[in-house]
Each structure stands twice: as C-alpha cells, then as structure tokens.
Amino acid sequence: IFSAIAAAKRSAEELALGIYRGGDRAEDLFLKIRHGIAGTTMPSVAAQLSDADVWHLVAFARSIALDPIGRPE
C-alpha cells in the first residue's frame, strides 16, 4: 500500500511540474484523458464526457503546472 501512496504522490508532483506521460502537447493530454491510459488506473471517459468537457480538463491540468503555489519545493 505504501508503494501505491508513493506513486500517487509522485504523480501529483509530476502534474504540478507539468510532467506528463506520453507527451505534453494539449492534443496528447486530450487523448490520454479521453481514452485513458492502458495498464493504469486511469480509465477512458469517452462515454461520460463530451469533447468540450475533456478540453476543459486539459486546460485545468495544464494550469496546475502554471500555479507556483501548488509546486513542490
């Protein structure tokens, strides 16, 4: 369980730093959010969210890296 917590913490830190798996272009993030990431706990949201909603999530995810308050020291 501790390894799962460590992995989640690392993922949050990477998100805060703007480090994304599989590319950092907006289009890359859109596809990862829309279709999920195989072999991870991130499922597809294609059936639940519209393309516009996914683009809003992309904008939000990218804004986290721009927020200096949320960045780890």
Side-chain angles (χ1 to χ4, degrees):
I1 203 161
F2 292 112
S3 64
I5 293 170
K9 184 176 187 285
R10 185 175 59 249
S11 293
E13 289 171 351
E14 289 172 352
L15 184 61
L17 293 172
I19 300 169
Y20 313 108
R21 269 194 231 180
D24 60 358
R25 297 177 311 150
E27 296 83 1
D28 300 326
L29 295 173
F30 176 89
L31 292 173
K32 285 185 278 189
I33 293 170
R34 183 87 172 140
H35 301 293
I37 301 174
T40 72
T41 58
M42 185 168 169
S44 169
V45 297
Q48 292 86 11
L49 300 177
S50 69
D51 283 354
D53 290 335
V54 175
W55 281 116
H56 289 256
L57 288 172
V58 168
F60 174 72
R62 293 181 75 162
S63 74
I64 292 170
L66 300 176
D67 180 7
I69 294 171
R71 290 192 188 152
E73 294 184 30

